[in-house]
Amino acid sequence: MTTARTYRDALAFAAAKEMDADPSVFVFGLDVPDHKRIFGSTKGLVEKFGIDRCFGTPLSEDAMTGVAIGAALSGLRPVHVHIRADFLLLGMNQIANVMSSLRYMSGGSLRLPLVIRAIIGRGWGQGAQHSKSLHGVFGHFPGLKVGLPTSPQDAYSMLRAAIRDENPVILLEHRWLYDIEGPVDENHLPLLEGPVVVRPGNALTVACTSWMTIEALKAAEVLAKHGVELEIVDIRTVAPLDETVVADSVAKTGHCIVADYDWLYSGFSAELAARISHRCFGSLRCPIERIGFAQVPCPTTRPLENLFYPSAVHIIRVAERMLGLPMIDLNHETFYSYEERFKGPF
Amino acid sequence: MLTKSEGLQLYRSLLLIRLTEEAIRSHYHLDEMKTPVHLGIGQEAIPVGVCHCLPKNAVTFGTYRNHALYLALTQETDRFFAELFGKETGLGRGKAGSMHLCAPGQGLMATSAVVATTIPLAVGAALAHAYRKESTPVAVFFGDGAMEEGVFWESLNFASLRSLNILFVCEDNGLAIHTGASDRRGFSSAVRSVQGFRCKTASADGSDLSAVIRATERLRAEMAQSKQPGFLHLTYLRFLEHVGINEDFAVGYRDSPSPEERIARDPVARFTAQLLALGCAQGELDEMRTGVEAQVECSLNRARDARLPADEALYEDLLI
């Protein structure tokens, strides 16, 4: 059955479905059952499943990450939730030294079916410690799966798939995606999904992560008015990465931009660009371009924050250069800004 | 009070650990065991005593100094030595080595080479048992250095908050690698530091197997009665260097034990005297030693003869 849902509702709906189906699934984390319910994404869970299966924790990200691992080793399926991805760095020893490698070190005798959900903040002065995405960092460690759902359907299907997965999965959810509404087919239950073409085109491939997919779709809409069709690929799962969808697209378009919601240096964009350069060397008509954060900590003040984040405008300008097009007048176009996506304070 | 047959069984366990560690010491120079070893000579009575008091279905977690815990739980040396030799038949197919031994089927869920790292895992296991309303107890072993890590206090806080059935076992040898307690601790007593939490505490001489058993039994009874976690503080002497096979009393960062102290801090010597007082014959103990020596020798040979992992094993056991 397909229903229109917001991203936040899709997350809560997916969790409720899995908790209904499997009594070993529980959801926990700081403030998970409070009145705000993690921006609505855990709404209804404590009422339906009780405080034993949806509970808050002390401010102990390190230990609570270990608790999730210990519970998973003991046959449960924990979903550990964080209101900002930046806080996961307090649990980095558990993520990088234990979660990623325990099964391998045990010669395959241990399993860790657990999910970490964390929200990527942006706008209204989130600043340097409430804005990281970290998917490149987590994806670096073998043994972890890392996903960034973009659409409400992705939020629903990928959370359900992550909970059912026998491996540790980290899902990173952009705060601005929470209000997006879209059709959610509750019977669409694939494995953790990889790259998908979200808008077909023939001129240039834009491979995106998370919010950059929304920016790229906007860029495609603007360029289409001028007869240029971008093909937009949403990567969705950065680890393990299957770049075939991107490679097939680039074989067709001959041009590629990687628009990553992260810093470029040593980041996921470099990994993807390297793989596509290798696989599509003969089809590329110009070097792959990468778009991402400015290489500084995220500034708080609005004018500098505007410069820090990449946008649809960047994608349009880079596409024009790559395709040898004249610069389009963008004065009459409306682009995303946090005033329309997110009114703060958090 | 231990019966004679219980005493003999425990003695065998102590001896198996001691002779296994001695076998590693005497074979290590052959470079067949290419793994950093943190040996448990002096530590033996702690896992033997604590595990003796736990039911068979108990779940334990340990550290990189885990040989004694593994052997106390399993009495098994074939897969143990195979792992140290890096062989396919090892506990982790050669991917674990000495520092990450794990035998979930026999109650050793995980160990770690990073201090304090398995403490919250053990709390998670205890939470899982509470979640399923099972009475399975959990014990986590860690060194005194772990009490300087934040995650110890986070874990203790959560276990106390949730009244979890978990026994925190602090194996206190007064050393963090080469740094003594007085250079590390801003607290005067480990036990008193924990007593501010809703957690029962006990302490004992960890070199004395009988004392370890008495303290563990008493603490477990208090835990059951109060529905609180427990913190067991046990002291022991690390006879060897932090990592490796040698004594290092001569290098100067700690005092050399006197001959009397060497005996007082030797769990095997201490328990042997108690067994003889209990009426065991020296011949009986000697016979047991011969049997254990044969087991260790046989496992060493099997490990040496076992196959190394095939190249394909590199990418196996990562994701399911």
Short mmCIF file of all heavy atoms in Angstrom, two decimals, chain B residues 43-54 58-70 72-73 107-112 114-120 122-123 137-146 152 166-172 212 216 230-232 234 236:
data_model
loop_
_atom_site.label_atom_id
_atom_site.label_comp_id
_atom_site.label_asym_id
_atom_site.label_seq_id
_atom_site.Cartn_x
_atom_site.Cartn_y
_atom_site.Cartn_z
N GLN B 43 48.02 -14.23 37.68
CA GLN B 43 46.61 -13.83 37.54
C GLN B 43 45.65 -15.01 37.67
O GLN B 43 44.44 -14.83 37.82
CB GLN B 43 46.46 -13.19 36.15
CG GLN B 43 45.09 -12.69 35.73
CD GLN B 43 44.99 -12.56 34.20
OE1 GLN B 43 45.75 -13.18 33.45
NE2 GLN B 43 44.05 -11.75 33.74
N GLU B 44 46.18 -16.24 37.65
CA GLU B 44 45.37 -17.44 37.41
C GLU B 44 44.14 -17.59 38.32
O GLU B 44 43.06 -18.01 37.88
CB GLU B 44 46.23 -18.71 37.57
CG GLU B 44 47.40 -18.82 36.60
CD GLU B 44 48.70 -18.23 37.15
OE1 GLU B 44 48.63 -17.38 38.06
OE2 GLU B 44 49.78 -18.61 36.65
N ALA B 45 44.32 -17.27 39.61
CA ALA B 45 43.24 -17.56 40.58
C ALA B 45 42.00 -16.71 40.34
O ALA B 45 40.90 -17.09 40.75
CB ALA B 45 43.76 -17.35 41.99
N ILE B 46 42.18 -15.57 39.66
CA ILE B 46 41.02 -14.66 39.49
C ILE B 46 39.98 -15.28 38.55
O ILE B 46 38.84 -15.52 38.98
CB ILE B 46 41.48 -13.26 39.05
CG1 ILE B 46 42.34 -12.63 40.17
CG2 ILE B 46 40.28 -12.39 38.71
CD1 ILE B 46 42.95 -11.29 39.82
N PRO B 47 40.33 -15.58 37.30
CA PRO B 47 39.29 -16.19 36.46
C PRO B 47 38.87 -17.57 36.93
O PRO B 47 37.68 -17.92 36.82
CB PRO B 47 39.93 -16.24 35.07
CG PRO B 47 41.38 -16.08 35.28
CD PRO B 47 41.55 -15.30 36.54
N VAL B 48 39.81 -18.35 37.46
CA VAL B 48 39.44 -19.69 37.92
C VAL B 48 38.43 -19.58 39.06
O VAL B 48 37.40 -20.26 39.08
CB VAL B 48 40.69 -20.50 38.36
CG1 VAL B 48 40.28 -21.79 39.06
CG2 VAL B 48 41.57 -20.80 37.15
N GLY B 49 38.69 -18.70 40.00
CA GLY B 49 37.81 -18.56 41.16
C GLY B 49 36.47 -17.95 40.81
O GLY B 49 35.42 -18.46 41.21
N VAL B 50 36.50 -16.88 40.03
CA VAL B 50 35.24 -16.20 39.69
C VAL B 50 34.37 -17.12 38.83
O VAL B 50 33.18 -17.29 39.09
CB VAL B 50 35.51 -14.85 38.97
CG1 VAL B 50 34.21 -14.25 38.45
CG2 VAL B 50 36.21 -13.87 39.91
N CYS B 51 34.97 -17.74 37.81
CA CYS B 51 34.18 -18.61 36.92
C CYS B 51 33.65 -19.83 37.65
O CYS B 51 32.57 -20.35 37.32
CB CYS B 51 35.00 -19.02 35.69
SG CYS B 51 35.40 -17.61 34.63
N HIS B 52 34.37 -20.29 38.68
CA HIS B 52 33.90 -21.41 39.50
C HIS B 52 32.55 -21.06 40.16
O HIS B 52 31.71 -21.94 40.36
CB HIS B 52 34.94 -21.73 40.58
CG HIS B 52 34.47 -22.75 41.58
ND1 HIS B 52 34.38 -24.09 41.29
CD2 HIS B 52 34.08 -22.61 42.88
CE1 HIS B 52 33.95 -24.74 42.36
NE2 HIS B 52 33.77 -23.87 43.34
N CYS B 53 32.36 -19.79 40.47
CA CYS B 53 31.14 -19.35 41.17
C CYS B 53 29.99 -19.01 40.23
O CYS B 53 28.89 -18.71 40.67
CB CYS B 53 31.44 -18.13 42.03
SG CYS B 53 32.74 -18.41 43.22
N LEU B 54 30.28 -19.00 38.93
CA LEU B 54 29.24 -18.62 37.96
C LEU B 54 28.56 -19.87 37.42
O LEU B 54 29.21 -20.90 37.26
CB LEU B 54 29.85 -17.83 36.80
CG LEU B 54 30.53 -16.51 37.13
CD1 LEU B 54 31.20 -15.93 35.88
CD2 LEU B 54 29.54 -15.51 37.71
N ALA B 58 26.75 -18.68 32.15
CA ALA B 58 27.19 -17.28 32.31
C ALA B 58 27.91 -16.81 31.06
O ALA B 58 28.52 -17.59 30.33
CB ALA B 58 28.11 -17.16 33.52
N VAL B 59 27.83 -15.51 30.82
CA VAL B 59 28.52 -14.89 29.68
C VAL B 59 29.63 -14.00 30.23
O VAL B 59 29.40 -13.22 31.15
CB VAL B 59 27.52 -14.05 28.85
CG1 VAL B 59 28.24 -13.28 27.76
CG2 VAL B 59 26.45 -14.94 28.26
N THR B 60 30.84 -14.14 29.67
CA THR B 60 31.95 -13.33 30.17
C THR B 60 32.58 -12.52 29.04
O THR B 60 32.48 -12.87 27.86
CB THR B 60 33.05 -14.21 30.81
OG1 THR B 60 33.67 -14.99 29.80
CG2 THR B 60 32.48 -15.12 31.89
N PHE B 61 33.24 -11.47 29.44
CA PHE B 61 34.01 -10.61 28.53
C PHE B 61 35.37 -10.37 29.18
O PHE B 61 35.47 -10.33 30.41
CB PHE B 61 33.30 -9.27 28.31
CG PHE B 61 32.03 -9.37 27.53
CD1 PHE B 61 30.85 -9.80 28.13
CD2 PHE B 61 31.99 -9.04 26.18
CE1 PHE B 61 29.66 -9.89 27.41
CE2 PHE B 61 30.81 -9.12 25.45
CZ PHE B 61 29.64 -9.55 26.06
N GLY B 62 36.41 -10.19 28.37
CA GLY B 62 37.73 -10.03 28.94
C GLY B 62 38.57 -9.00 28.21
O GLY B 62 38.06 -8.17 27.45
N THR B 63 39.87 -9.09 28.46
CA THR B 63 40.81 -8.11 27.91
C THR B 63 41.83 -8.84 27.03
O THR B 63 41.68 -10.02 26.74
CB THR B 63 41.59 -7.44 29.05
OG1 THR B 63 42.47 -8.41 29.63
CG2 THR B 63 40.65 -6.91 30.12
N TYR B 64 42.87 -8.11 26.66
CA TYR B 64 43.96 -8.75 25.92
C TYR B 64 44.74 -9.71 26.81
O TYR B 64 45.43 -10.58 26.31
CB TYR B 64 44.91 -7.68 25.34
CG TYR B 64 45.28 -6.62 26.36
CD1 TYR B 64 46.29 -6.83 27.27
CD2 TYR B 64 44.56 -5.43 26.41
CE1 TYR B 64 46.60 -5.87 28.22
CE2 TYR B 64 44.85 -4.47 27.36
CZ TYR B 64 45.88 -4.70 28.26
OH TYR B 64 46.17 -3.75 29.22
N ARG B 65 44.66 -9.56 28.14
CA ARG B 65 45.31 -10.53 29.04
C ARG B 65 44.25 -11.59 29.37
O ARG B 65 43.70 -11.63 30.47
CB ARG B 65 45.83 -9.83 30.30
CG ARG B 65 46.92 -10.63 31.03
CD ARG B 65 47.49 -9.89 32.24
NE ARG B 65 48.07 -8.61 31.92
CZ ARG B 65 49.25 -8.43 31.34
NH1 ARG B 65 50.01 -9.47 31.04
NH2 ARG B 65 49.70 -7.22 31.03
N ASN B 66 43.95 -12.40 28.35
CA ASN B 66 42.75 -13.24 28.41
C ASN B 66 43.01 -14.74 28.44
O ASN B 66 42.08 -15.52 28.51
CB ASN B 66 41.88 -12.93 27.18
CG ASN B 66 42.66 -13.09 25.88
OD1 ASN B 66 43.49 -13.99 25.76
ND2 ASN B 66 42.39 -12.23 24.90
N HIS B 67 44.28 -15.14 28.38
CA HIS B 67 44.56 -16.59 28.31
C HIS B 67 43.96 -17.32 29.51
O HIS B 67 43.35 -18.38 29.38
CB HIS B 67 46.07 -16.86 28.27
CG HIS B 67 46.75 -16.33 27.05
ND1 HIS B 67 48.09 -16.50 26.80
CD2 HIS B 67 46.27 -15.61 26.01
CE1 HIS B 67 48.41 -15.92 25.65
NE2 HIS B 67 47.33 -15.36 25.16
N ALA B 68 44.17 -16.75 30.70
CA ALA B 68 43.71 -17.41 31.93
C ALA B 68 42.19 -17.54 31.92
O ALA B 68 41.64 -18.59 32.29
CB ALA B 68 44.19 -16.63 33.15
N LEU B 69 41.51 -16.49 31.47
CA LEU B 69 40.04 -16.53 31.43
C LEU B 69 39.56 -17.59 30.44
O LEU B 69 38.68 -18.40 30.77
CB LEU B 69 39.50 -15.14 31.05
CG LEU B 69 37.99 -15.02 30.87
CD1 LEU B 69 37.23 -15.43 32.13
CD2 LEU B 69 37.60 -13.59 30.46
N TYR B 70 40.16 -17.59 29.26
CA TYR B 70 39.74 -18.58 28.25
C TYR B 70 39.95 -20.01 28.77
O TYR B 70 39.07 -20.86 28.66
CB TYR B 70 40.50 -18.38 26.93
CG TYR B 70 40.21 -19.47 25.94
CD1 TYR B 70 39.02 -19.44 25.21
CD2 TYR B 70 41.07 -20.55 25.77
CE1 TYR B 70 38.72 -20.47 24.33
CE2 TYR B 70 40.77 -21.58 24.88
CZ TYR B 70 39.58 -21.53 24.16
OH TYR B 70 39.27 -22.54 23.31
N ALA B 72 40.31 -21.06 31.86
CA ALA B 72 39.46 -21.36 33.02
C ALA B 72 38.06 -21.76 32.57
O ALA B 72 37.43 -22.64 33.14
CB ALA B 72 39.39 -20.15 33.95
N LEU B 73 37.58 -21.11 31.52
CA LEU B 73 36.23 -21.39 31.03
C LEU B 73 36.15 -22.69 30.25
O LEU B 73 35.15 -23.39 30.29
CB LEU B 73 35.75 -20.26 30.13
CG LEU B 73 35.28 -18.97 30.79
CD1 LEU B 73 35.16 -17.86 29.75
CD2 LEU B 73 33.94 -19.18 31.50
N GLY B 107 31.02 -19.29 26.45
CA GLY B 107 30.76 -18.21 27.40
C GLY B 107 31.75 -17.07 27.38
O GLY B 107 31.60 -16.11 28.14
N LEU B 108 32.77 -17.14 26.50
CA LEU B 108 33.67 -15.98 26.37
C LEU B 108 33.25 -15.22 25.11
O LEU B 108 33.60 -15.60 23.99
CB LEU B 108 35.13 -16.41 26.29
CG LEU B 108 36.14 -15.25 26.14
CD1 LEU B 108 36.03 -14.24 27.26
CD2 LEU B 108 37.57 -15.78 26.04
N MET B 109 32.51 -14.15 25.30
CA MET B 109 31.90 -13.47 24.16
C MET B 109 32.91 -12.63 23.40
O MET B 109 32.93 -12.67 22.17
CB MET B 109 30.75 -12.59 24.66
CG MET B 109 29.84 -12.08 23.58
SD MET B 109 28.90 -13.39 22.78
CE MET B 109 27.36 -13.30 23.66
N ALA B 110 33.71 -11.85 24.09
CA ALA B 110 34.66 -10.99 23.38
C ALA B 110 35.76 -10.51 24.31
O ALA B 110 35.55 -10.41 25.53
CB ALA B 110 33.94 -9.79 22.77
N THR B 111 36.91 -10.22 23.71
CA THR B 111 38.02 -9.61 24.43
C THR B 111 38.54 -8.49 23.54
O THR B 111 38.21 -8.43 22.36
CB THR B 111 39.14 -10.62 24.73
OG1 THR B 111 39.61 -11.16 23.48
CG2 THR B 111 38.64 -11.76 25.60
N SER B 112 39.36 -7.61 24.09
CA SER B 112 39.79 -6.46 23.28
C SER B 112 41.19 -6.02 23.66
O SER B 112 41.61 -6.15 24.80
CB SER B 112 38.82 -5.30 23.48
OG SER B 112 39.35 -4.13 22.89
N VAL B 114 42.06 -2.91 23.43
CA VAL B 114 41.96 -1.51 23.86
C VAL B 114 41.34 -1.50 25.26
O VAL B 114 40.24 -2.03 25.47
CB VAL B 114 41.10 -0.69 22.87
CG1 VAL B 114 41.03 0.76 23.30
CG2 VAL B 114 41.66 -0.80 21.46
N VAL B 115 42.05 -0.91 26.22
CA VAL B 115 41.64 -0.99 27.62
C VAL B 115 40.20 -0.49 27.81
O VAL B 115 39.81 0.53 27.25
CB VAL B 115 42.62 -0.17 28.49
CG1 VAL B 115 42.09 0.00 29.91
CG2 VAL B 115 43.98 -0.86 28.53
N ALA B 116 39.43 -1.24 28.58
CA ALA B 116 38.06 -0.92 29.00
C ALA B 116 37.00 -1.12 27.92
O ALA B 116 35.81 -0.95 28.18
CB ALA B 116 37.95 0.51 29.55
N THR B 117 37.43 -1.51 26.73
CA THR B 117 36.52 -1.53 25.59
C THR B 117 35.40 -2.55 25.70
O THR B 117 34.30 -2.32 25.20
CB THR B 117 37.35 -1.75 24.30
OG1 THR B 117 38.09 -0.55 24.07
CG2 THR B 117 36.51 -2.04 23.11
N THR B 118 35.64 -3.69 26.36
CA THR B 118 34.56 -4.69 26.41
C THR B 118 33.61 -4.45 27.58
O THR B 118 32.60 -5.14 27.70
CB THR B 118 35.12 -6.13 26.51
OG1 THR B 118 35.97 -6.21 27.65
CG2 THR B 118 35.87 -6.53 25.27
N ILE B 119 33.91 -3.48 28.44
CA ILE B 119 33.03 -3.25 29.61
C ILE B 119 31.60 -2.89 29.18
O ILE B 119 30.65 -3.52 29.63
CB ILE B 119 33.64 -2.21 30.57
CG1 ILE B 119 34.99 -2.72 31.10
CG2 ILE B 119 32.69 -1.93 31.73
CD1 ILE B 119 35.75 -1.71 31.96
N PRO B 120 31.42 -1.93 28.26
CA PRO B 120 30.04 -1.63 27.87
C PRO B 120 29.39 -2.77 27.08
O PRO B 120 28.16 -2.92 27.12
CB PRO B 120 30.17 -0.37 27.01
CG PRO B 120 31.57 -0.39 26.51
CD PRO B 120 32.38 -1.01 27.61
N ALA B 122 29.66 -5.88 27.80
CA ALA B 122 29.13 -6.76 28.84
C ALA B 122 27.84 -6.19 29.42
O ALA B 122 26.88 -6.93 29.68
CB ALA B 122 30.18 -6.93 29.94
N VAL B 123 27.81 -4.87 29.58
CA VAL B 123 26.58 -4.22 30.08
C VAL B 123 25.45 -4.43 29.07
O VAL B 123 24.30 -4.68 29.45
CB VAL B 123 26.84 -2.72 30.37
CG1 VAL B 123 25.55 -2.01 30.72
CG2 VAL B 123 27.87 -2.56 31.49
N PRO B 137 23.75 -14.63 34.21
CA PRO B 137 24.64 -13.58 34.69
C PRO B 137 25.75 -13.26 33.70
O PRO B 137 26.11 -14.08 32.86
CB PRO B 137 25.23 -14.17 35.97
CG PRO B 137 25.15 -15.65 35.77
CD PRO B 137 24.05 -15.94 34.79
N VAL B 138 26.28 -12.04 33.83
CA VAL B 138 27.39 -11.58 32.99
C VAL B 138 28.53 -11.19 33.91
O VAL B 138 28.31 -10.61 34.98
CB VAL B 138 26.96 -10.37 32.14
CG1 VAL B 138 28.14 -9.82 31.34
CG2 VAL B 138 25.82 -10.74 31.21
N ALA B 139 29.77 -11.53 33.52
CA ALA B 139 30.94 -11.05 34.25
C ALA B 139 31.91 -10.43 33.25
O ALA B 139 32.13 -10.98 32.17
CB ALA B 139 31.63 -12.20 34.99
N VAL B 140 32.45 -9.28 33.60
CA VAL B 140 33.44 -8.65 32.73
C VAL B 140 34.72 -8.42 33.53
O VAL B 140 34.69 -7.91 34.64
CB VAL B 140 32.90 -7.34 32.11
CG1 VAL B 140 32.43 -6.33 33.14
CG2 VAL B 140 33.96 -6.71 31.19
N PHE B 141 35.82 -8.88 32.96
CA PHE B 141 37.13 -8.79 33.59
C PHE B 141 37.91 -7.64 32.95
O PHE B 141 37.94 -7.52 31.73
CB PHE B 141 37.90 -10.10 33.41
CG PHE B 141 37.24 -11.29 34.08
CD1 PHE B 141 36.13 -11.90 33.51
CD2 PHE B 141 37.74 -11.78 35.27
CE1 PHE B 141 35.52 -12.99 34.13
CE2 PHE B 141 37.13 -12.87 35.90
CZ PHE B 141 36.01 -13.47 35.33
N PHE B 142 38.56 -6.82 33.78
CA PHE B 142 39.36 -5.71 33.25
C PHE B 142 40.44 -5.37 34.25
O PHE B 142 40.33 -5.68 35.44
CB PHE B 142 38.46 -4.49 32.98
CG PHE B 142 37.58 -4.11 34.14
CD1 PHE B 142 38.04 -3.25 35.12
CD2 PHE B 142 36.30 -4.63 34.25
CE1 PHE B 142 37.23 -2.91 36.20
CE2 PHE B 142 35.49 -4.30 35.33
CZ PHE B 142 35.96 -3.44 36.31
N GLY B 143 41.50 -4.73 33.78
CA GLY B 143 42.58 -4.34 34.67
C GLY B 143 42.26 -3.05 35.41
O GLY B 143 41.28 -2.36 35.11
N ASP B 144 43.11 -2.70 36.38
CA ASP B 144 42.85 -1.49 37.17
C ASP B 144 42.97 -0.23 36.31
O ASP B 144 42.32 0.77 36.59
CB ASP B 144 43.77 -1.40 38.38
CG ASP B 144 45.24 -1.58 38.01
OD1 ASP B 144 45.57 -2.62 37.40
OD2 ASP B 144 46.05 -0.69 38.34
N GLY B 145 43.77 -0.30 35.23
CA GLY B 145 43.89 0.86 34.34
C GLY B 145 42.56 1.23 33.71
O GLY B 145 42.33 2.40 33.38
N ALA B 146 41.67 0.27 33.55
CA ALA B 146 40.37 0.54 32.93
C ALA B 146 39.56 1.55 33.74
O ALA B 146 38.71 2.26 33.21
CB ALA B 146 39.57 -0.76 32.77
N PHE B 152 34.43 3.14 31.61
CA PHE B 152 34.16 2.33 32.80
C PHE B 152 33.05 2.97 33.63
O PHE B 152 32.09 2.31 34.04
CB PHE B 152 35.42 2.16 33.66
CG PHE B 152 35.11 1.62 35.04
CD1 PHE B 152 34.81 0.28 35.22
CD2 PHE B 152 35.08 2.46 36.15
CE1 PHE B 152 34.49 -0.20 36.49
CE2 PHE B 152 34.76 1.99 37.42
CZ PHE B 152 34.47 0.65 37.57
N ILE B 166 25.21 -7.92 36.48
CA ILE B 166 26.56 -7.94 35.92
C ILE B 166 27.58 -7.80 37.03
O ILE B 166 27.41 -7.02 37.96
CB ILE B 166 26.74 -6.83 34.84
CG1 ILE B 166 28.18 -6.86 34.28
CG2 ILE B 166 26.41 -5.44 35.39
CD1 ILE B 166 28.37 -6.00 33.04
N LEU B 167 28.64 -8.59 36.89
CA LEU B 167 29.74 -8.56 37.87
C LEU B 167 30.95 -7.91 37.19
O LEU B 167 31.46 -8.42 36.20
CB LEU B 167 30.07 -9.99 38.28
CG LEU B 167 31.17 -10.21 39.30
CD1 LEU B 167 30.88 -9.49 40.61
CD2 LEU B 167 31.37 -11.71 39.54
N PHE B 168 31.35 -6.75 37.71
CA PHE B 168 32.55 -6.07 37.22
C PHE B 168 33.73 -6.61 38.02
O PHE B 168 33.77 -6.47 39.24
CB PHE B 168 32.44 -4.56 37.45
CG PHE B 168 31.34 -3.88 36.68
CD1 PHE B 168 30.09 -3.63 37.26
CD2 PHE B 168 31.53 -3.48 35.36
CE1 PHE B 168 29.08 -3.00 36.56
CE2 PHE B 168 30.52 -2.84 34.65
CZ PHE B 168 29.30 -2.60 35.24
N VAL B 169 34.68 -7.25 37.34
CA VAL B 169 35.82 -7.84 38.04
C VAL B 169 37.08 -7.05 37.71
O VAL B 169 37.59 -7.11 36.58
CB VAL B 169 36.02 -9.32 37.65
CG1 VAL B 169 37.15 -9.93 38.47
CG2 VAL B 169 34.73 -10.11 37.83
N CYS B 170 37.57 -6.31 38.69
CA CYS B 170 38.78 -5.51 38.48
C CYS B 170 40.00 -6.33 38.90
O CYS B 170 40.16 -6.67 40.07
CB CYS B 170 38.70 -4.22 39.30
SG CYS B 170 40.17 -3.19 39.12
N GLU B 171 40.80 -6.69 37.91
CA GLU B 171 42.03 -7.46 38.16
C GLU B 171 43.15 -6.45 38.36
O GLU B 171 43.72 -5.97 37.39
CB GLU B 171 42.33 -8.37 36.97
CG GLU B 171 41.17 -9.28 36.58
CD GLU B 171 41.45 -10.09 35.31
OE1 GLU B 171 41.74 -9.50 34.26
OE2 GLU B 171 41.39 -11.32 35.39
N ASP B 172 43.43 -6.14 39.60
CA ASP B 172 44.31 -5.01 39.92
C ASP B 172 45.74 -5.50 40.15
O ASP B 172 46.05 -6.06 41.19
CB ASP B 172 43.76 -4.30 41.17
CG ASP B 172 44.55 -3.04 41.50
OD1 ASP B 172 45.59 -2.79 40.85
OD2 ASP B 172 44.12 -2.31 42.41
N VAL B 212 39.29 -15.68 46.64
CA VAL B 212 38.54 -15.21 45.46
C VAL B 212 37.15 -15.85 45.44
O VAL B 212 36.13 -15.17 45.23
CB VAL B 212 39.30 -15.52 44.15
CG1 VAL B 212 38.44 -15.21 42.92
CG2 VAL B 212 40.62 -14.76 44.09
N THR B 216 33.65 -13.85 45.83
CA THR B 216 32.71 -13.89 44.69
C THR B 216 31.35 -14.42 45.15
O THR B 216 30.30 -13.87 44.80
CB THR B 216 33.26 -14.76 43.55
OG1 THR B 216 34.61 -14.36 43.27
CG2 THR B 216 32.43 -14.62 42.30
N GLY B 230 27.49 -5.85 40.73
CA GLY B 230 28.56 -6.01 41.72
C GLY B 230 29.91 -5.59 41.15
O GLY B 230 30.15 -5.70 39.95
N PHE B 231 30.75 -5.09 42.04
CA PHE B 231 32.11 -4.71 41.67
C PHE B 231 33.07 -5.49 42.57
O PHE B 231 33.04 -5.34 43.80
CB PHE B 231 32.31 -3.20 41.86
CG PHE B 231 33.72 -2.73 41.61
CD1 PHE B 231 34.18 -2.49 40.33
CD2 PHE B 231 34.59 -2.52 42.68
CE1 PHE B 231 35.48 -2.06 40.11
CE2 PHE B 231 35.90 -2.09 42.46
CZ PHE B 231 36.35 -1.85 41.18
N LEU B 232 33.88 -6.32 41.97
CA LEU B 232 34.79 -7.19 42.72
C LEU B 232 36.22 -6.74 42.44
O LEU B 232 36.67 -6.75 41.29
CB LEU B 232 34.58 -8.63 42.26
CG LEU B 232 35.39 -9.74 42.92
CD1 LEU B 232 35.18 -9.76 44.44
CD2 LEU B 232 35.00 -11.09 42.33
N LEU B 234 40.10 -7.36 42.97
CA LEU B 234 41.04 -8.43 43.30
C LEU B 234 42.45 -8.01 42.92
O LEU B 234 42.69 -7.62 41.77
CB LEU B 234 40.65 -9.71 42.55
CG LEU B 234 39.23 -10.22 42.83
CD1 LEU B 234 38.82 -11.28 41.83
CD2 LEU B 234 39.13 -10.78 44.25
N TYR B 236 46.57 -8.69 42.37
CA TYR B 236 47.50 -9.78 42.06
C TYR B 236 48.83 -9.20 41.62
O TYR B 236 48.95 -8.00 41.36
CB TYR B 236 46.91 -10.73 41.00
CG TYR B 236 46.97 -10.24 39.57
CD1 TYR B 236 47.99 -10.65 38.71
CD2 TYR B 236 45.99 -9.38 39.06
CE1 TYR B 236 48.03 -10.22 37.38
CE2 TYR B 236 46.04 -8.95 37.74
CZ TYR B 236 47.05 -9.37 36.90
OH TYR B 236 47.09 -8.95 35.59
#
